[in-house]
Amino acid sequence: LPPPASSWDAIPPREESRARLTLDPGATLIICVSRLTTPRDSDQPYKTEAVVELLRAVATLPEDVGLVVVGDGPGRRRVQEVVATLKLERRVRLAGAVPHEDVRWYYAACDFFAYPCLVDRPWVAILEAQACGRPVVTMETRSSAVTVIPGGTGLLAKDLRDFRTQVAMLAGDPDRCAAMGSAAREYIATTHSMDVRVKQVEELLLERP
């Protein structure tokens, strides 16, 4: 079973969240929540490189599309260098490490979540974003297939080129983004909430001989 989504008592309105975080009230904002780790093995993809690929995708979008990256780690310098190289300083905010209770403000402030990590794992941030009513764009893996409804609560990309296409598609369609976000919150509540997961674990234990 994938981990359950973290839940908060209430999700603040987008306008209030942007005002609190001093984010552009009229921009289309993408969020990514990830530790900026360095690789254990240079031949394997890792989280910092996923954020770098997201930056490259954002660089191809209109200037009114911005990105907020929540998270910190030893890969921060690499991310900062790529931001400077792509001249994205005015469109990207590196929020750094944020207490978990405050992450909801960032999810609520943004329009959708995007994370092109090629590692096949059930990322908690993908579940949290949907729990906050935000659709997600991520890679098509076995894990994402059981944590996202393709075309319903998010978009799954076959490769990095397809990821850029999917991000651009959602950034340019606010009505679809809103509809998918609404479906995402309902999906998490009925499929991946803590209450649902506890019941599933109990049922599995009761089935054991």
Side-chain angles (χ1 to χ4, degrees):
L1 295 172
S6 300
S7 60
W8 291 273
D9 293 336
I11 307 303
R14 179 182 281 108
E15 295 76 13
E16 179 184 349
S17 300
R18 292 194 181 193
R20 178 188 175 101
L21 301 173
T22 63
L23 293 168
D24 186 344
T28 297
L29 292 178
I30 303 168
I31 185 172
C32 179
V33 179
S34 173
R35 288 194 67 240
L36 303 179
T37 58
T38 53
R40 296 178 181 177
D41 184 336
S42 60
D43 293 330
Q44 297 296 320
Y46 60 107
K47 295 179 180 179
T48 297
E49 283 304 310
V51 175
V52 167
E53 290 298 337
L54 177 54
L55 291 170
R56 291 170 178 156
V58 170
T60 67
L61 300 176
E63 293 188 359
D64 63 345
V65 178
L67 170 66
V68 178
V69 178
V70 177
D72 211 341
R76 182 184 179 98
R77 177 178 293 181
R78 165 130 173 86
V79 172
Q80 291 173 324
E81 291 172 351
V82 175
V83 168
T85 299
L86 297 176
K87 297 180 171 51
L88 292 173
E89 292 90 345
R90 300 184 66 177
R91 297 171 57 193
V92 173
R93 175 179 296 188
L94 302 181
V98 173
H100 185 260
E101 178 59 29
D102 293 336
V103 176
R104 63 176 178 150
W105 292 96
Y106 288 90
Y107 285 125
C110 295
D111 294 280
F112 65 94
F113 176 97
Y115 191 49
C117 191
L118 297 171
V119 177
D120 182 8
R121 290 181 184 172
W123 303 109
V124 172
I126 287 177
L127 294 166
E128 289 183 339
Q130 293 176 93
C132 286
R134 299 297 178 262
V136 302
V137 183
T138 189
M139 308 307 294
E140 185 178 298
T141 64
R142 293 177 61 188
S143 296
S144 64
V146 297
T147 54
V148 179
I149 299 177
T153 68
L155 302 175
L156 303 183
K158 300 182 184 304
D159 52 37
L160 291 175
R161 183 174 183 178
D162 188 34
F163 174 80
R164 294 189 184 189
T165 300
Q166 304 282 27
V167 168
M169 184 184 305
L170 206 54
D173 194 342
D175 291 339
R176 185 183 185 191
C177 191
M180 293 177 73
S182 179
R185 189 167 186 183
E186 177 66 19
Y187 167 65
I188 294 299
T190 58
T191 311
H192 295 294
S193 69
M194 180 65 75
D195 289 342
V196 169
R197 196 65 79 246
V198 168
K199 290 179 181 178
Q200 289 173 327
V201 171
E202 290 176 342
E203 289 171 357
L204 287 172
L205 293 175
L206 290 172
E207 289 176 359
R208 295 185 63 184

